[in-house]
Amino acid sequence: MRFFQSFQRITFILVCSVGMAITYAAYVAISNIAAEQSKIQQQSVSPVFSLVNEELLKPLHIAETIGKTRYFDSLLNEENLQKEKVVTLLNKLEQTFDLTVFVASEKQRKQFLSNGRVIDLIEGKVFWYFEAMEHDRDLFADLGQVGDVHLYFDFKVYNEEDQYLGIVGVGKSLKKFIDRFEDYKERFGYDFLFVNENNEIILTSLPDFVVTGAHIPTLDSLLWYQKLEGNKSDLNSRLITENEEDFLISEISIDELDWKLLLLIPLEARQAQITKSFVTNTVIAISLVLIFFASMFWIMMYYKHHLEKTVDIDPLSQLPNRTYVQRRYQQLRRQDADVAVIMVDIDSFKSINDTFGHNAGDLVIKTVSLILSEEIRQQDLVGRWGGEEFIVLVPTSSESYAGKIAERARLRLEKHDFHQGGVATKVTASFGVTFGHSRAPLSELIAGADSALYEAKRKGRNRVVHHSL
């Protein structure tokens, strides 16, 4: 026994040491990969923030600021909005911000632009306005203007009574965005994709993707995106191959628009290959560590289970013995559970041994053990307490449930025929049931169950009696 315990301790220490060494090596490898990728991402992402701020967030905030100006509330409330008055104001704003500025009046169902154009907002012909009215955000972006496609930043306007008045917004030609992208691409060498909440590519530096008012490409149209495996909702730090060149994706959320910006950062072929190989080897190493630990754990648990069976199992009934039952009760105490205890005693067992011999008595012990085992749940425990006496631990919040287990077992045993020397014999048992909390000592619950058991004996045996603590 001592040798086995020493062996367990030594094996455990060796396993832990080897496992810790392998785990530390894997940790260092993963840390190096993460540090390298983080460095690449940081160098790539830093300059793009100024681009996002200047080209997207600045006009977005200008649209919001113009829309919140109280002057537009009164302007859009006018029944007969004068074109000259509106266009003059919009033209001044265009001169100030270098952006196309417009206002769409709900009362007049007309759109006025800073270049002097006036568009009738007719449902079924002008789609953007009526789609914008249904938009769940007050500040959003969309594409428009046939020919010279613009990206517009729209802001819904309401009066003091929260009544919808129309939309104020600013626009910028996609050509200006593309020119800026080309400049950044020449300086930093990576491509941009601005993707909206519908996975549509609104802006991009990719030369093969042209965004028009009638055609807006989606991420699904990209070959590398189609080949991606697993979760596509998070593309950050994913490695892809496009036109035989490797790229690292860096994803930035633009919460103000519910967009995301994807940066395609080119990597040298060898560096990408080494990174992939390193990642693969690290995953394999970690997997081997896990398999190693799982195997050692299974071996240890196997020997532990085998030892417990040898020490804690009654050889005749194959039920847990008193030592095991006591240990199981201590587990229930730690769980702070309600528990019922059933004490079972075979009626007139001595006369069975005296009449039919000890082999017959052994058969009765085995049969009672089997019947009791078949009547309990997986979380319950039946054990041999000693001689012809058995104990059942039932974790339950209901005393009546334990009583039902006892009654079912009593009836089955009563109906069972024991064949001894060609003669069918009946054997019965008495049951004592008590209920309490596992905070109480096991001896206290057993005393209560024993009291009920003796009461069952006094009343004629072959019955179930309950005792309240």
Side-chain angles (χ1 to χ4, degrees):
M1 182 67 177
R2 289 182 179 177
F3 171 80
F4 183 79
Q5 290 176 338
S6 299
F7 172 77
Q8 277 188 315
R9 284 194 292 269
I10 294 171
T11 304
F12 180 77
I13 292 172
L14 288 175
V15 168
C16 289
S17 300
V18 174
M20 288 175 64
I22 297 176
T23 303
Y24 179 75
Y27 169 78
V28 171
I30 294 172
S31 297
N32 290 338
I33 293 172
E36 182 64 23
Q37 290 189 349
S38 177
K39 181 180 178 182
I40 294 172
Q41 284 182 286
Q42 185 64 32
Q43 292 174 344
S44 305
V45 168
S46 295
V48 85
F49 281 114
S50 61
L51 175 70
V52 172
N53 185 65
E54 182 68 24
E55 301 299 321
L56 289 178
L57 299 185
K58 183 177 178 180
L60 180 76
H61 294 148
I62 289 173
E64 184 178 19
T65 302
I66 294 174
K68 288 182 176 179
T69 303
R70 305 313 305 179
Y71 182 82
F72 277 95
D73 291 12
S74 58
L75 193 69
L76 292 174
N77 252 330
E78 293 181 16
E79 294 293 335
N80 297 308
L81 193 57
Q82 297 178 4
K83 173 185 174 182
E84 294 75 17
K85 180 180 179 181
V86 179
V87 171
T88 299
L89 174 62
L90 297 178
N91 192 260
K92 287 181 179 179
L93 293 172
E94 180 180 11
Q95 298 292 328
T96 302
F97 299 114
D98 193 27
L99 295 167
T100 300
V101 187
F102 75 89
V103 61
S105 170
E106 172 61 11
K107 283 191 175 183
Q108 296 203 3
R109 284 288 172 91
K110 290 181 182 294
Q111 180 184 8
F112 301 86
L113 289 96
S114 55
N115 61 9
R117 292 180 61 201
V118 179
I119 302 172
D120 291 325
L121 301 174
I122 301 173
E123 194 166 0
K125 291 187 177 181
V126 181
F127 298 99
W128 77 267
Y129 179 74
F130 299 96
E131 290 174 353
M133 290 173 61
E134 301 298 324
H135 207 289
D136 57 357
R137 298 167 65 108
D138 288 337
L139 183 63
F140 51 93
D142 59 39
L143 294 172
Q145 194 162 322
V146 178
D148 183 13
V149 181
H150 278 56
L151 177 63
Y152 286 98
F153 302 91
D154 306 335
F155 184 78
K156 293 181 183 178
V157 180
Y158 302 84
N159 62 18
E160 294 180 351
E161 289 73 39
D162 205 33
Q163 294 177 327
Y164 172 73
L165 298 178
I167 296 175
V168 173
V170 300
K172 189 171 184 176
S173 172
L174 288 191
K175 186 177 182 306
K176 291 185 178 180
F177 284 105
I178 293 172
D179 290 341
R180 289 299 306 273
F181 291 160
E182 287 296 328
D183 178 57
Y184 268 78
K185 186 173 181 178
E186 287 180 7
R187 291 171 59 191
F188 303 107
Y190 48 78
D191 283 298
F192 304 81
L193 292 96
F194 289 89
V195 183
N196 68 9
E197 67 275 13
N198 299 319
N199 263 11
E200 296 173 330
I201 303 172
I202 303 299
L203 299 168
T204 180
S205 62
L206 295 175
D208 298 332
F209 284 81
V210 179
V211 180
T212 68
H215 172 69
I216 304 176
T218 65
L219 279 178
D220 293 321
S221 61
L222 298 173
L223 184 61
W224 61 261
Y225 186 82
Q226 297 171 15
K227 293 180 179 179
L228 282 178
E229 297 180 354
N231 182 18
K232 295 184 180 181
S233 62
D234 185 5
L235 301 178
N236 204 33
S237 300
R238 298 286 288 269
L239 290 172
I240 64 167
T241 300
E242 179 73 2
N243 297 326
E244 299 183 352
E245 188 175 0
D246 295 313
F247 295 85
L248 176 69
I249 300 177
S250 184
E251 181 177 314
I252 303 172
S253 296
I254 306 175
D255 297 329
E256 292 87 344
L257 291 171
D258 200 17
W259 287 9
K260 57 186 176 184
L261 166 60
L262 301 181
L263 302 179
L264 272 59
I265 306 164
L267 301 176
E268 294 180 4
R270 182 170 177 80
Q271 180 186 10
Q273 184 179 4
I274 292 173
T275 301
K276 291 178 183 178
S277 176
F278 202 11
V279 170
T280 302
N281 291 333
T282 301
V283 170
I284 292 173
I286 293 174
S287 300
L288 290 175
V289 170
L290 293 176
I291 293 171
F292 178 74
F293 269 110
S295 300
M296 292 304 299
F297 178 79
W298 183 86
I299 292 172
M300 298 297 288
M301 291 304 295
Y302 172 81
Y303 280 109
K304 180 175 180 293
H305 180 69
H306 178 74
L307 181 64
E308 286 179 348
K309 284 190 67 175
T310 304
V311 175
D312 295 332
I313 299 299
D314 174 65
L316 176 59
S317 65
Q318 290 299 298
L319 293 178
N321 59 20
R322 181 179 295 209
T323 302
Y324 187 93
V325 171
Q326 291 171 332
R327 188 162 63 247
R328 172 60 179 146
Y329 185 79
Q330 292 306 314
Q331 293 175 353
L332 294 176
R333 296 194 77 177
R334 288 193 291 272
Q335 296 170 12
D336 201 32
D338 291 326
V339 63
V341 173
I342 307 172
M343 297 301 296
V344 185
D345 188 86
I346 301 172
D347 297 329
S348 306
F349 184 75
K350 186 175 182 302
S351 64
I352 296 173
N353 280 329
D354 293 341
T355 304
F356 301 104
H358 288 283
N359 287 339
D362 290 346
L363 176 62
V364 171
I365 292 291
K366 292 177 182 178
T367 303
V368 172
S369 302
L370 179 63
I371 290 174
L372 291 174
S373 299
E374 291 175 347
E375 290 300 328
I376 63 172
R377 304 166 301 178
Q378 186 176 1
Q379 62 266 41
D380 303 331
L381 176 72
V382 57
R384 188 178 181 189
W385 196 244
E388 68 271 24
E389 199 169 35
F390 300 85
I391 185 172
V392 184
L393 300 183
V394 184
T396 179
S397 58
S398 170
E399 182 179 2
S400 63
Y401 181 79
K404 291 176 182 177
I405 293 177
E407 184 60 24
R408 288 198 305 266
R410 186 195 68 79
L411 287 173
R412 282 189 59 184
L413 186 58
E414 182 184 55
K415 295 176 181 178
H416 187 82
D417 290 328
F418 291 84
H419 295 276
Q420 304 294 336
V423 179
T425 305
K426 293 289 186 181
V427 175
T428 61
S430 299
F431 296 75
V433 181
T434 191
F435 176 80
H437 197 279
S438 58
R439 285 191 296 266
L442 178 59
S443 58
E444 184 177 326
L445 291 173
I446 290 176
D450 274 338
S451 178
L453 178 62
Y454 298 145
E455 181 68 16
K457 295 283 188 182
R458 285 194 295 270
K459 290 183 176 180
R461 302 184 178 89
N462 190 26
R463 65 189 67 232
V464 177
V465 175
H466 291 254
H467 175 82
S468 298
L469 291 178

